[in-house]
């Protein structure tokens, strides 16, 4: 199919890209652009050229479908240089999200016009890359060093309106105007005034007037937290100051190609495609439209969930049994929004609008107008079953009934509802207005329409929604339990508290696992585990946490846990270390020293083996869902891809050998062995 149409409008040649869904720069699009420029350049009837797009956005970047494949001509740098070299003025017409190579095409044009609400950006660092088609050279020539460094090393999206005072755009149009018409009018007006010229950004000099690159690069290094691409991007800009566009692009290209072969870029590109895959649930039903949502329970979770929904434009009925509890919940929601305003994440008017859609009530009957009801009450199966019995009578017969339980059996809850097909889990992660992960839990009788509705709502909440099945802890927390067991087993075997946290944090985890325990409260997990039978085959099972709880060391909230917290700052606590050492000796566990690598390896292996088992048991649809869960729910470093990505990097043979380390004192297999053949599946 021809992905670039050539349209002639009077004396204007229009190249219209039509390659759904986002007009990515496929080989056919790149070829069509070159062909179109050649054709219009040699046509004497044509005085100017417009590059525009059909569908939902201007070019959103290089085609991710071509990533990992051998590059094909015409290479994008050659395409953008051909556009800039055009002897007839070329105008880019932007809307939607013009990103990466798409924005680089626009930068190579001689003029840029856009909708005010269009977004532009060079997000390549999010894929472990740098702009590879002149972006590091043309952007600084237009917006200067500071702004271009910020945009290229941060990888964020920017509204076109934010450049109203720069030379980036020659015209910006309000959202009620027709972009194609306005672009043609812009060109015709300029042509009439004989004021539409070939203005090549690349021919401008890239000078830095004593720009303090050293300070800028130090700041970027500190923020990069182990990610390579931002630093490479900054270094390319610094190295190309004063160079011609051709020399600068050669340096850029060399750095781009090197990054494209890096493990970090493979991990980040994998993470991006894994997220897109997770959204493909194979559910055979269209989602219901949801406008009014009830959140039952105004505690930390309920108020966080309510905040997330209000921020996404929903009306929320927040329900709590007592007026006092309800007032406290409303206060928590209000303080969430005031924090958003203080941090600049949200304007006051937007925050006020959100709060205006909050309806607080102590009456359960207010669920009657809601298409979705989310329960976030006390984590007790009987309490939840009683509530769902009431909801069955009060809610609309087609309302989706979702529980936010972290561990309880949703099948048991569904049993009390006359139509159990509308019962699902929506497992948010605390704080629910911040954490991106949402596990949509499919109980045995959950209907596809209920699940599809939850997945669609998750997307509206800008959550990373993953469809999972029912088991103890579903997918994320079951792996978290396995990970925690291995961490605590190493404590009992002699690994230090700080050593474990530092090893995991320097490997890339957002926080040390023991500091996380102290933050969330050691008793939370301890109580959930105590409701389950104790695994007699594993005598050390979370005994380090148990001894903390026995000594009222619950973490930050009691001023001490694995650490102590004078003035709220975590410091080493010898008493905690002594208690754990004594427990280890009581259990007859030989104490020994550990290397940091061994700590990281055993923790990773625990995650990998449990993740594979979840896939084999059908709790997740695909192995890559495991990685999406761990990237968005547990602070797994994105530039490491996820536990399964790490397993695939290691390979089955090395992994099988390494997994033998997950044994007990007598070499017995504490945890059932895992079949590794599944790692060959490319889901
Ligand atoms: N190529 C191909 N398909 C893409 C795509 C891309 N770049 N981006 C998105 N899609 C598909 C996606 O798979 C999904 O398909 C559909 O579009 C909607 O996506 C040389 C090398 C554009 C902001 O990093 O940030 O250019 O599942 O669900 O939430 O310097 O997608 O429907 O079949 O995400 O509205 C730089 C990545 C590449 C942009 C839209 N560009 N994409 O978000 O929809 S590197 C990017 C996004 C580069 C050059 C370098 C987002 C979006 P399907 P979606 P959305």
């Amino acid at each position: 199919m021809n992905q670039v149409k050539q349209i002639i409008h009077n004396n204007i040649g229009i190249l219209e890209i039509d390659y759904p869904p986002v007009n990515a720069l496929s080989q056919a699009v790149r070829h069509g652009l070159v062909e179109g420029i050649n054709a219009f350049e040699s046509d004497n009837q044509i005085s100017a050229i417009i590059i525009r797009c059909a569908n939902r956005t201007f070019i959103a970047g290089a085609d991710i479908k071509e990533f990992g494949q051998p590059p094909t001509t015409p290479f994008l740098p050659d395409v953008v240089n051909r556009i800039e070299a055009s002897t007839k003025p070329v105008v880019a017409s932007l809307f939607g999200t013009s990103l990466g190579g798409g924005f680089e095409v626009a930068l190579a044009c001689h003029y840029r016009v856009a909708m005010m609400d269009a977004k532009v950006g060079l997000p390549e660092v999010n894929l472990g890359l740098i702009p590879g088609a002149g972006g590091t050279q043309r952007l600084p020539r237009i917006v200067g060093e500071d702004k271009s460094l910020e945009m290229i090393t941060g990888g964020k999206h920017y509204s076109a309106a934010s450049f109203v005072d720069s030379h980036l755009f020659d015209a910006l149009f309000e959202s009620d105007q027709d972009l194609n018409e306005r672009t043609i009018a812009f060109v015709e007006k300029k042509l009439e005034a004989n004021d539409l010229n070939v203005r090549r950004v690349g021919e401008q000099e890239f000078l830095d007037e004593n720009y303090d690159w050293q300070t800028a690069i130090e700041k970027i290094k500190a923020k990069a937290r182990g990610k390579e691409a931002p630093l490479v991007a900054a270094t390319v800009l610094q190295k190309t100051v004063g160079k011609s566009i051709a020399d600068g692009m050669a340096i850029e290209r060399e750095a781009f190609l090197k990054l494209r072969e890096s493990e970090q870029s493979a991990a980040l590109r994998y993470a991006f495609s894994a997220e897109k895959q997770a959204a493909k649930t194979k559910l055979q039903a269209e989602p219901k439209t949801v406008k009014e949502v009830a959140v039952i329970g105004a505690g930390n979770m309920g108020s966080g969930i309510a905040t997330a929904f209000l921020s996404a434009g929903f009306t929320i009925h927040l329900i709590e049994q007592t007026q006092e509890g309800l007032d406290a919940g409303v206060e928590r929601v209000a303080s969430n929004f005031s924090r958003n305003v203080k941090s600049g994440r949200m304007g006051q008017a937007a925050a006020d609008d959100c709060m205006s859609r909050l309806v607080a009530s102590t009456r359960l009957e207010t669920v009657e107008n809601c298409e979705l009801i989310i329960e976030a009450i006390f984590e007790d199966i009987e309490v939840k079953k009683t509530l769902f019995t009431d909801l069955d009578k009060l809610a609309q017969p087609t309302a989706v009934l979702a529980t936010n339980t972290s561990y309880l059996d949703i099948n048991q809850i569904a049993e009390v509802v006359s139509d159990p097909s509308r019962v699902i889990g929506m497992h948010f992660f605390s704080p629910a207005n911040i954490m991106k992960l949402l596990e949509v839990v499919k109980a045995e009788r959950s209907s596809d329409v209920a699940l599809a509705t939850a997945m669609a709502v998750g997307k509206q909440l800008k959550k990373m929604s993953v469809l999972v099945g029912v088991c103890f802890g579903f997918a994320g927390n079951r792996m978290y339990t396995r990970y925690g067991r291995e961490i605590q087993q190493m404590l009992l075997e002699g690994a230090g508290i700080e050593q474990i946290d530092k090893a995991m944090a320097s490997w890339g985890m957002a926080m040390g696992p023991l500091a996380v325990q102290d933050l969330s409260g050691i008793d939370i997990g301890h109580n959930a585990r105590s409701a389950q039978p104790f695994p007699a085959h594993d005598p050390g099972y979370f005994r380090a946490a148990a001894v903390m709880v026995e000594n009222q060391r619950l973490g930050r909230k009691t001023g001490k846990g694995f650490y102590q917290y004078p003035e709220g700052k975590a410091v080493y606590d010898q008493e905690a270390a002594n208690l754990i050492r004594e427990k280890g000796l009581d259990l007859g566990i030989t104490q020994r020293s550990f290397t940091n690598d061994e700590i990281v390896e055993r923790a990773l292996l625990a995650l990998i083996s449990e993740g594979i088992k979840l896939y084999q048991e059908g709790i997740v649809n695909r192995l890559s869902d495991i990685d999406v869960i761990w990237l968005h729910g547990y602070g797994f470093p994105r530039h490491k891809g996820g536990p399964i990505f790490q397993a695939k990097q290691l390979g089955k043979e090395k992994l099988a050998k390494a997994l033998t380390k997950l044994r007990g004192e007598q070499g017995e297999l504490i945890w059932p062995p895992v079949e590794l053949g599944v790692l060959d599946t490319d889901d």
Side-chain angles (χ1 to χ4, degrees):
M1 182 193 95
N2 175 12
Q3 295 176 0
V4 181
K5 294 189 185 82
Q6 294 180 17
I7 303 162
I8 292 182
H9 178 92
N10 300 332
N11 58 348
I12 301 172
I14 299 170
L15 296 178
E16 182 170 283
I17 301 168
D18 183 6
Y19 174 45
V22 294
N23 296 310
L25 285 156
S26 65
Q27 192 276 341
V29 167
R30 301 195 304 273
H31 179 74
L33 283 171
V34 172
E35 222 180 26
I37 295 286
N38 292 342
F40 288 149
E41 196 175 59
S42 54
D43 182 337
N44 297 331
Q45 181 198 346
I46 299 295
S47 309
I49 300 167
I50 291 173
I51 296 178
R52 75 185 192 193
C53 286
N55 312 313
R56 57 187 276 195
T57 176
F58 188 77
I59 308 164
D63 191 346
I64 48 175
K65 296 186 189 68
E66 294 182 3
F67 281 176
Q69 291 167 19
T72 52
T73 55
F75 300 131
L76 190 54
D78 301 330
V79 175
V80 298
N81 288 341
R82 178 66 190 92
I83 292 168
E84 187 169 70
S86 166
T87 54
K88 291 179 182 170
V90 183
V91 180
S93 180
L94 277 63
F95 70 110
T97 47
S98 311
L99 301 170
F103 189 34
E104 290 173 297
V105 164
L107 291 170
C109 292
H110 307 125
Y111 292 82
R112 283 160 295 281
V113 299
M115 297 307 288
M116 273 282 192
D117 60 1
K119 294 273 192 311
V120 294
L122 292 173
E124 287 85 343
V125 290
N126 301 328
L127 300 172
L129 301 168
I130 63 170
T136 65
Q137 304 303 303
R138 291 189 173 90
L139 188 62
R141 285 171 166 81
I142 297 173
V143 302
E145 299 86 356
D146 255 351
K147 190 64 182 172
S148 53
L149 262 182
E150 174 202 312
M151 291 177 73
I152 293 169
T153 61
K156 298 205 179 329
H157 302 176
Y158 295 77
S159 79
S162 67
F163 293 97
V164 68
D165 298 329
S166 95
H167 306 299
L168 184 57
F169 293 105
D170 302 282
L172 288 170
F173 308 124
E174 295 296 342
S175 50
D176 59 353
Q177 298 184 299
D178 179 291
L179 177 62
N180 289 347
E181 280 172 20
R182 303 295 303 129
T183 304
I184 288 170
F186 168 85
V187 172
E188 285 174 339
K189 189 170 172 207
K190 281 267 186 194
L191 284 174
E192 267 159 42
N194 198 20
D195 180 27
L196 194 72
N197 312 299
V198 169
R199 305 182 314 180
R200 297 189 180 110
V201 170
E203 287 173 355
Q204 293 166 24
E205 284 197 313
F206 175 21
L207 293 175
D208 66 350
E209 284 110 23
N210 309 318
Y211 184 71
D212 182 359
W213 288 99
Q214 201 48 40
T215 307
I217 287 179
E218 280 314 313
K219 277 189 202 148
I220 289 159
K221 200 181 226 173
K223 270 172 71 179
R225 277 177 56 89
K227 284 184 287 191
E228 297 157 356
L231 212 47
V232 170
T235 314
V236 163
L237 264 78
Q238 182 186 25
K239 277 195 318 198
T240 51
V241 167
K243 287 192 169 26
S244 68
I245 186 83
D247 293 348
M249 282 184 72
I251 292 169
E252 172 196 78
R253 186 81 183 152
E254 186 189 354
F256 170 80
L257 293 175
K258 192 156 170 272
L259 279 176
R260 197 176 60 180
E261 301 312 310
S262 70
E263 183 176 321
Q264 276 202 9
S265 182
L268 290 164
R269 295 197 312 263
Y270 162 85
F272 178 83
S273 57
E275 288 161 351
K276 300 301 162 209
Q277 285 302 314
K280 295 184 167 61
T281 55
K282 305 179 193 117
L283 290 169
Q284 306 299 319
E286 286 306 307
K288 282 164 54 75
T289 304
V290 174
K291 287 197 175 60
E292 303 213 19
V293 177
V295 174
I296 304 171
N300 276 330
M301 281 311 287
S303 52
I305 294 168
T307 305
F309 274 89
L310 290 165
S311 306
F314 291 89
T315 294
I316 281 288
H317 295 264
L318 183 62
I319 300 166
E320 180 56 73
Q321 278 178 325
T322 66
Q323 191 58 46
E324 185 195 0
L326 184 63
D327 294 346
V330 170
E331 184 42 45
R332 267 190 282 269
V333 176
S335 61
N336 286 339
F337 284 115
S338 57
R339 261 198 300 280
N340 284 347
V341 173
K342 275 199 200 93
S343 66
R345 277 198 299 270
M346 187 181 263
Q348 187 59 55
D352 296 344
D353 169 57
C354 288
M355 288 305 289
S356 70
R357 283 181 275 104
L358 176 61
V359 182
S361 169
T362 56
R363 295 179 53 248
L364 201 52
E365 289 74 8
T366 51
V367 301
E368 60 189 358
N369 301 321
C370 299
E371 297 86 10
L372 171 62
I373 297 160
I374 300 171
E375 163 273 314
I377 63 173
F378 185 60
E379 193 73 348
D380 173 281
I381 192 75
E382 293 313 319
V383 171
K384 290 187 192 290
K385 284 164 81 170
T386 305
L387 173 65
F388 275 75
T389 306
D390 296 341
L391 289 177
D392 196 20
K393 300 182 193 100
L394 297 170
Q396 294 172 13
T398 57
V400 174
L401 307 180
T403 169
N404 172 60
T405 184
S406 301
Y407 287 95
L408 300 176
D409 183 348
I410 299 174
N411 293 319
Q412 283 189 43
I413 296 172
E415 273 164 17
V416 305
V417 173
S418 48
D419 172 8
S421 75
R422 59 198 189 121
V423 178
I424 60 169
M426 287 182 80
H427 180 216
F428 291 85
F429 286 72
S430 181
N433 51 312
I434 308 281
M435 292 299 284
K436 273 190 73 98
L437 180 61
L438 169 63
E439 283 182 321
V440 175
V441 191
K442 176 178 177 9
E444 272 153 28
R445 298 166 69 181
S446 298
S447 68
D448 279 9
V449 67
L451 295 163
T453 301
M455 291 297 288
V457 162
K459 183 158 179 132
Q460 287 172 270
L461 296 173
K462 293 195 174 23
K463 295 288 182 187
M464 189 49 66
S465 312
V466 183
L467 188 60
V468 298
V470 172
C471 65
F472 184 71
F474 313 133
N477 279 351
R478 186 170 124 183
M479 286 175 68
Y480 187 57
T481 300
R482 182 67 186 80
Y483 168 74
R485 180 266 172 203
E486 205 59 31
I487 293 288
Q488 297 207 12
Q489 183 63 22
M490 288 190 276
L491 273 181
L492 294 168
E493 293 174 13
I497 294 169
E498 284 185 315
Q499 181 190 14
I500 286 178
D501 276 0
K502 283 187 181 138
M504 296 313 294
S506 52
W507 185 77
M509 293 300 281
M511 252 178 103
L514 298 167
V516 171
Q517 284 290 306
D518 273 3
L519 187 63
S520 52
I522 303 173
D523 53 324
I524 307 289
H526 177 76
N527 296 340
R529 288 186 296 270
S530 306
Q532 300 290 314
F534 184 82
H537 68 284
D538 184 12
Y541 190 69
F542 283 95
R543 291 304 86 195
V547 80
M548 292 293 116
V549 173
E550 284 151 23
N551 288 274
Q552 284 74 49
R553 303 174 69 97
L554 308 185
R556 275 180 180 275
K557 61 188 177 186
T558 55
K560 56 185 179 180
F562 288 109
Y563 297 90
Q564 56 176 304
Y565 294 88
E567 292 112 48
K569 193 174 170 322
V571 294
Y572 179 73
D573 184 325
Q574 187 59 51
E575 186 194 5
N578 294 343
L579 286 167
I580 292 167
R581 180 176 158 71
E582 282 153 33
K583 176 54 80 179
L585 294 172
D586 285 353
L587 291 166
I589 295 174
T590 319
Q591 307 285 300
R592 66 181 178 83
S593 63
F594 279 75
T595 64
N596 291 350
D597 286 352
E598 182 184 1
I599 290 170
V600 172
E601 183 185 40
R602 269 183 57 179
L604 261 189
L605 290 171
L607 283 176
I608 290 168
S609 61
E610 203 63 29
I612 292 173
K613 273 186 239 153
L614 283 163
Y615 175 70
Q616 286 170 324
E617 293 169 24
I619 302 294
V620 293
N621 286 333
R622 54 184 78 77
L623 279 167
S624 57
D625 286 357
I626 293 288
D627 289 338
V628 174
I629 286 168
W630 269 76
L631 291 176
H632 291 283
Y634 299 87
F636 198 95
R638 191 177 178 83
H639 59 279
K640 303 266 188 183
I644 300 298
F645 180 84
Q646 289 296 316
K648 291 191 173 182
Q649 292 299 103
L650 198 57
K652 280 191 302 187
E653 287 64 36
K654 283 193 191 144
L655 185 57
K657 192 162 170 293
L659 282 170
T660 58
K661 293 178 184 158
L662 295 186
R663 290 175 177 270
E665 284 276 293
Q666 283 70 40
E668 76 283 12
L669 254 183
I670 292 279
W671 298 75
V674 63
E675 207 292 300
L676 297 176
V678 290
L679 285 176
D680 296 332
T681 54
D682 247 349
D683 42 41

